[in-house]
Amino acid sequence: MSETPAQLWRDLVAADPTRPFTTSYDASGGRVELSRATLDNWVSKTANMLVDGLGTQPGDRVAVALPVHWQSLVWLTACWSVGAVAEVADGAAPSPDAQVAVADPDRLEAALDSGAEEVVGTSLHPLGLPLREVPPMVLDYSVEVRGYGDRFSPYPVDPQAPALRLGRTLTGAELVAQGRDRAERWGLTGADRVALFLDPDAGPSALGPGAELLPALMASGAPVILTPLPAADPGETWKRLEAERATVFATVGGAEPAGDAPLRRISLSS
């Protein structure tokens, strides 16, 4: 029987909940690390919010207008856990007329104009702090989600149902197969730590044309380090990744620090 991304995620968490899954750096060098269990807590709360707070049903459309960030990883995984279709707005306005739209502060007005039945805004603060200003008719994600349960049992979702729209539509089964294929092709295992270099506000296509990196991380068990491209002194970036015990770095379109890379490189462009 085909797997779903939610099953892939649940298996990963069960295997070793304390292991890091994502480490994020901001432009100032601030660092936030989330274990599988901690990220899963956010996934569960978000899934419960989708179902109990926003009335999301399997097959509903959730417009995700967020850059690559630990919160966007949470929203994608929560959508797959409830059987919703994550429609990713890669640096653009949210998809029109979705049941739910979640947006960063710069795209909240566009989300309100999109015709979504419910609009959720998130500050994208590294520690999950609330929005500074909450427009009328917008739910503040960081405030609202904390009131929902810490456990969520993924719905029995049809693996052949649409799960992601990012330029093209992928089913849950295709996402899992794609993740396993990429993990094998890239030689990723649980012993690796993958550094992903990101431009400011990089959209989810930075995970690959079909967000391949996320299911590949779930399939392999490799944690990811989200780090901005350095404006200066790339040597400091490589030192940081050495301290993080990174073994691989990933790029889209060749964006990477200057100098000789001391890590194995994988390309997400194809």
Side-chain angles (χ1 to χ4, degrees):
M1 181 177 176
S2 299
E3 289 179 283
T4 65
Q7 291 171 309
L8 201 62
W9 173 247
R10 295 304 317 150
D11 290 345
L12 180 68
V13 175
D16 187 352
T18 63
R19 187 150 190 242
F21 184 72
T22 178
T23 302
S24 302
Y25 283 90
D26 60 25
S28 68
R31 179 183 186 275
V32 176
E33 181 175 278
L34 301 179
S35 68
R36 295 173 184 175
T38 301
L39 198 78
D40 186 56
N41 182 261
W42 282 89
V43 169
S44 295
K45 283 180 173 293
T46 305
N48 281 314
M49 178 180 172
L50 281 166
V51 173
D52 297 333
L54 304 175
T56 304
Q57 300 292 322
D60 281 355
R61 298 163 52 231
V62 177
V64 181
L66 301 173
V68 176
H69 185 278
W70 65 261
Q71 288 188 18
S72 55
L73 304 187
V74 164
W75 272 90
L76 291 175
T77 308
C79 287
W80 298 333
S81 296
V82 306
V85 185
E87 298 193 347
V88 174
D90 201 29
S95 303
D97 302 319
Q99 278 72 36
V100 177
V102 57
D104 56 37
D106 292 339
R107 286 181 278 182
L108 271 181
E109 290 299 328
L112 286 167
D113 292 339
S114 70
E117 296 174 14
E118 301 281 358
V119 175
V120 181
T122 178
S123 68
L124 297 178
H125 188 279
L127 300 178
L129 296 184
L131 289 161
R132 292 183 179 178
E133 296 182 6
V134 184
M137 307 302 292
V138 171
L139 296 172
D140 188 332
Y141 171 63
S142 295
V143 173
E144 298 290 333
V145 77
R146 296 180 192 275
Y148 289 91
D150 296 337
R151 297 287 182 270
F152 183 83
S153 297
Y155 279 8
V157 176
D158 180 2
Q160 303 305 324
L164 177 72
R165 291 196 177 103
L166 178 56
R168 59 191 176 112
T169 300
L170 294 167
T171 67
E174 288 172 331
L175 281 169
V176 172
Q178 184 172 262
R180 292 195 183 282
D181 174 74
R182 295 301 193 277
E184 182 177 359
R185 183 188 306 178
W186 295 329
L188 296 181
T189 71
D192 285 307
R193 291 174 69 93
V194 181
L196 176 60
F197 292 114
L198 297 167
D199 287 317
D201 302 322
S205 66
L207 300 171
E212 293 88 348
L213 182 59
L214 180 54
L217 296 171
M218 294 179 184
S220 66
V224 65
I225 304 160
L226 306 177
T227 185
L229 281 165
D233 197 0
E236 288 301 315
T237 298
W238 296 123
K239 288 179 183 178
R240 172 191 294 171
L241 296 182
E242 181 181 8
E244 292 284 357
R245 303 190 306 279
T247 60
V248 179
F249 75 98
T251 67
V252 173
E256 61 187 77
D260 294 332
L263 308 177
R264 180 163 57 91
R265 181 184 185 277
I266 61 175
S267 175
L268 306 180
S269 299
S270 60

